[in-house]
């Protein structure tokens, strides 16, 4: 029986040694204080986006022939897409082109909304 006690004492000594060998828990970092933003200064629009650009004849069939900023051209194209229900019903990021938009999109039948802006920029001067 004496051997059993010896074994237990060795195990408990090993466990005690393991517990003391553990590293202390890391302390949580405190967030740095944020600087207060100026309430008086407002965000200024980028002048490049606000510059009026003339659409090509193909794009003019969709948005009109008057010079417009890029932002307005994009809005008018989206109005045309929603009016004619050209947005794909399953994947809303895709646009199904009709005859007018197919010419703008370089003959593609379906274009993603991100690719659309790239293709439309080719028709602005």
């Amino acid at each position: 029986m004496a051997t059993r006690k010896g074994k237990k004492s060795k195990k408990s000594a090993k466990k005690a040694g393991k517990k003391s060998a553990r590293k202390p828990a890391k302390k949580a970092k405190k967030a740095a204080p944020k600087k207060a933003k100026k309430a008086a200064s407002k965000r200024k629009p980028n002048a490049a986006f606000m510059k009026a650009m003339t659409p090509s004849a193909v794009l003019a069939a969709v948005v009109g022939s008057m010079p417009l900023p890029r932002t307005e051209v994009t809005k008018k194209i989206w109005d045309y897409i929603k009016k004619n229900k050209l947005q794909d019903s399953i994947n809303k990021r895709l646009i199904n082109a009709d005859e007018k938009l197919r010419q703008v999109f370089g003959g593609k039948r379906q274009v993603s909304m991100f690719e659309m802006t790239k293709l439309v920029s080719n028709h602005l001067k």
Side-chain angles (χ1 to χ4, degrees):
M1 282 194 189
T3 56
R4 285 188 181 174
K5 281 186 180 179
K7 286 183 182 179
K8 284 185 182 178
S9 63
K10 286 182 184 179
K11 285 183 183 179
S12 62
K14 285 182 182 180
K15 286 182 182 178
K18 285 183 181 179
K19 286 182 182 177
S20 64
R22 287 186 184 168
K23 294 180 183 177
K26 293 182 180 179
K27 294 182 181 179
K29 293 182 180 179
K30 292 185 179 179
K34 294 182 180 179
K35 294 180 181 178
K37 292 184 178 180
K38 295 180 183 177
S41 65
K42 291 185 179 179
R43 185 173 174 217
K44 295 179 183 178
N46 190 344
F49 288 120
M50 301 312 292
K51 180 183 173 188
M53 302 193 76
T54 307
S56 67
V58 175
L59 185 60
V62 178
V63 298
S65 60
M66 297 296 296
L68 297 167
R70 287 178 189 269
T71 55
E72 290 298 316
V73 170
T74 305
K75 284 180 186 178
K76 289 199 177 212
I77 289 174
W78 272 108
D79 290 340
Y80 180 82
I81 290 168
K82 289 179 182 177
K83 177 183 158 192
N84 295 312
K85 298 178 182 173
L86 298 174
Q87 198 169 6
D88 192 49
S89 60
I90 298 169
N91 187 351
K92 299 287 185 182
R93 289 185 234 170
L94 296 177
I95 297 151
N96 300 319
D98 62 352
E99 288 304 317
K100 289 181 181 179
L101 282 180
R102 195 173 293 158
Q103 293 173 355
V104 174
F105 296 157
K108 294 184 179 182
R109 300 186 82 204
Q110 200 172 46
V111 175
S112 74
M113 64 173 64
F114 306 109
E115 189 179 2
M116 177 189 74
T117 55
K118 176 183 159 188
L119 295 170
V120 167
S121 67
N122 294 334
H123 292 278
L124 293 171
K125 297 174 189 173

